[in-house]
Amino acid sequence: MNKRERAAVERAQSGQAEMLASVERWAAINSGSRNLDGLAAMGSELADAFSALPGDVRMVDPAPVTAVDEQGREYELPHGRHLHLSVRPDAPVQLIFTGHMDTVFPVDHPFQQLHWIDQDKVLGGPGVADMKGGIAVMLAALRAIEADPDCAANFGYDVLINSDEEVGSLSSAALIASLASGKKAGLTYEPSALPDGTLAGARGGSGNFSFTIHGKSAHAGRNPRDGRNALVAAADLALRLKAGMDDTLSVNPAKIDGGSPNNVVPDLAILRVNLRPVSTEDQARAERLLEESAAAVAREHEVRIERHGGFARPPKPMTPPMEKLFHLVQEAGRDLGQEIGWRATGGVCDGNNIAAKNVPVVDTMGVRGGSIHSPDEFMIVDSLAERAALSALTILRIVHS
């Protein structure tokens, strides 16, 4: 490391107590994806925190999002606002940093309290790892770099902390795409893939779909052949889609809503299904599977089918520019005494959306921890300083590479 890098790393590491205090304060706020009041409170906290950086902090209204209810009706799904910070947008090198303020724990979930698993070493609580700890790491790294005006002057950046990552980023996807476009690289602050600090490498994509099947009612005893059974059509569609699953395309028919009393041929059913393609070619194949299966079922069962949804998370393959960025992070880790590896994962995040804009991204720059999305979620406290230092050094080297 050169003198400037060492100074930035030391500043990042020195902020561990402040980072921990922030995590404790933020994790005490329930900011489940559908808790709009909690998200507003969390957004206000983060706006204050990120005002320590130069540039303009603004809260951005969510884009409209619709869903399909159990009666097959489309309705608007409310979302929280997203935080956006823009710093030096005219600088020659531009980066994007992303995180999310929402958690998977709704306001009525029993997991609400922080607790020490190992005093001063391991903290448990809702969102401590995923990803309020990661947001604290991001902020500390950026503050460490901004403390040296000559160091910071060479690059500009956008920070986006959205309110809906845990539910697919549907109301922030367009904003992510817009901010990511043209960037040299991106860093996202999901927790490490493993507690030892291993990063998530290639990621598959993910799409959620609702198929509303409209059949025709009839008496189950007097004239059943005059009916068109929407439930049977939904089941047939589920089986056809599942039959298209293979090693590089996961298909999970998850739920069928609708039906009728036993003496009535059901005229409505809604099939919910998730598909996860490994590659862009697999996603194209999945689209054909969806289209052809729905058309065949509609034709053979004489029903009408409406499709809602899409692939909100495109696949994120390990491209040569991506691999180069991962090696840069690995080398930075080595200089800090951290062994950094990576592995492919079936999980998805906003890194998928950034990569879809042909921007290399490492999306697990957050804290070391584990058991996310469960009441056993934990954060390794020392990883706050550790990962802030890794981020600061990585940022400097991206800018000067």
Side-chain angles (χ1 to χ4, degrees):
M1 287 187 288
N2 61 38
K3 181 178 179 181
R4 173 162 285 163
E5 290 174 341
R6 283 195 299 271
V9 163
E10 288 170 4
R11 288 192 296 270
Q13 291 172 327
S14 69
Q16 174 150 310
E18 186 176 355
M19 282 185 273
L20 177 58
S22 294
V23 173
E24 290 177 305
R25 185 170 63 255
W26 297 341
I29 300 172
N30 179 289
S31 56
S33 304
R34 302 302 180 204
N35 179 8
L36 299 188
D37 290 339
L39 290 168
M42 187 66 200
S44 179
E45 282 275 342
L46 293 176
D48 287 344
F50 278 81
S51 67
L53 299 173
D56 299 321
V57 177
R58 65 189 183 110
M59 299 304 295
V60 182
D61 288 337
V65 177
T66 62
V68 174
D69 68 15
E70 294 180 355
Q71 302 301 315
R73 294 184 295 252
E74 190 173 3
Y75 66 98
E76 188 164 336
L77 197 59
H79 285 70
R81 295 198 297 169
H82 316 299
L83 181 147
H84 173 220
L85 167 70
S86 176
V87 177
R88 295 183 292 274
D90 297 325
V93 177
Q94 292 291 318
L95 306 181
I96 181 169
F97 304 93
T98 66
H100 63 86
M101 67 181 79
D102 63 324
T103 73
V104 301
F105 305 104
V107 71
D108 58 351
H109 194 283
F111 186 44
Q112 300 286 341
Q113 302 298 319
L114 291 163
H115 60 283
W116 285 102
I117 298 170
D118 185 353
Q119 189 65 38
D120 299 327
K121 294 182 179 179
V122 181
L123 179 65
V128 290
D130 188 19
M131 63 178 303
K132 292 172 181 180
I135 295 172
V137 165
M138 179 205 303
L139 178 58
L142 291 172
R143 289 182 67 177
I145 291 173
E146 291 290 352
D148 180 349
D150 293 332
C151 177
N154 294 318
F155 81 109
Y157 54 91
D158 286 287
V159 171
L160 174 64
I161 303 176
N162 59 0
S163 68
D164 65 343
E165 190 278 337
E166 296 290 8
V167 289
S169 302
L170 297 178
S171 78
S172 58
L175 183 58
I176 295 170
S178 174
L179 297 178
S181 183
K183 294 296 194 289
K184 182 175 183 179
L187 299 177
T188 295
Y189 286 79
E190 296 289 347
S192 59
L194 293 174
D196 66 2
T198 298
L199 306 172
R203 293 181 183 269
S206 180
N208 290 304
F209 298 86
S210 295
F211 289 90
T212 303
I213 296 97
H214 299 275
K216 181 181 179 183
S217 291
H219 194 288
R222 292 182 178 179
N223 61 331
R225 288 183 176 81
D226 291 337
R228 298 294 180 267
N229 194 309
L231 189 68
V232 171
D236 187 10
L237 180 57
L239 291 171
R240 290 174 189 246
L241 293 175
K242 185 65 176 178
M245 178 171 168
D246 58 26
D247 291 343
T248 58
L249 175 61
S250 170
V251 182
N252 183 45
K255 187 178 183 181
I256 295 179
D257 295 312
S260 67
N262 282 359
N263 60 352
V264 177
V265 175
D267 65 350
L268 179 69
I270 301 96
L271 170 66
R272 320 283 185 171
V273 60
N274 173 261
L275 293 90
R276 296 191 178 231
V278 169
S279 68
T280 52
E281 293 78 14
D282 293 316
Q283 181 172 320
R285 184 161 56 89
E287 287 281 6
R288 291 193 297 272
L289 175 67
L290 292 168
E291 182 178 348
E292 292 170 3
S293 298
V297 168
R299 181 175 61 253
E300 294 177 22
H301 291 266
E302 297 181 327
V303 295
R304 179 169 58 88
I305 300 179
E306 298 171 349
R307 176 176 134 182
H308 182 279
F311 285 97
R313 305 292 196 194
K316 190 193 85 172
M318 184 60 77
T319 61
M322 196 90 72
E323 190 168 356
K324 180 180 178 182
L325 179 59
F326 272 82
H327 281 296
L328 185 151
V329 175
Q330 186 177 54
E331 184 64 28
R334 189 173 294 118
D335 288 345
L336 294 167
Q338 303 174 26
E339 287 301 318
I340 305 293
W342 57 86
R343 68 171 192 175
T345 177
V348 295
C349 73
D350 289 333
N352 291 66
N353 301 69
I354 294 171
K357 300 303 292 183
N358 295 317
V359 175
V361 58
V362 176
D363 53 32
T364 39
M365 294 294 289
V367 294
R368 292 190 293 119
S371 298
I372 63 172
H373 295 192
S374 86
D376 298 319
E377 180 174 352
F378 67 91
M379 176 188 73
I380 299 169
V381 173
D382 284 350
S383 70
L384 288 165
E386 171 190 304
R387 302 292 270 203
L390 179 65
S391 274
L393 186 54
T394 294
I395 293 165
L396 290 177
R397 291 184 175 178
I398 292 173
V399 171
H400 296 289
S401 65

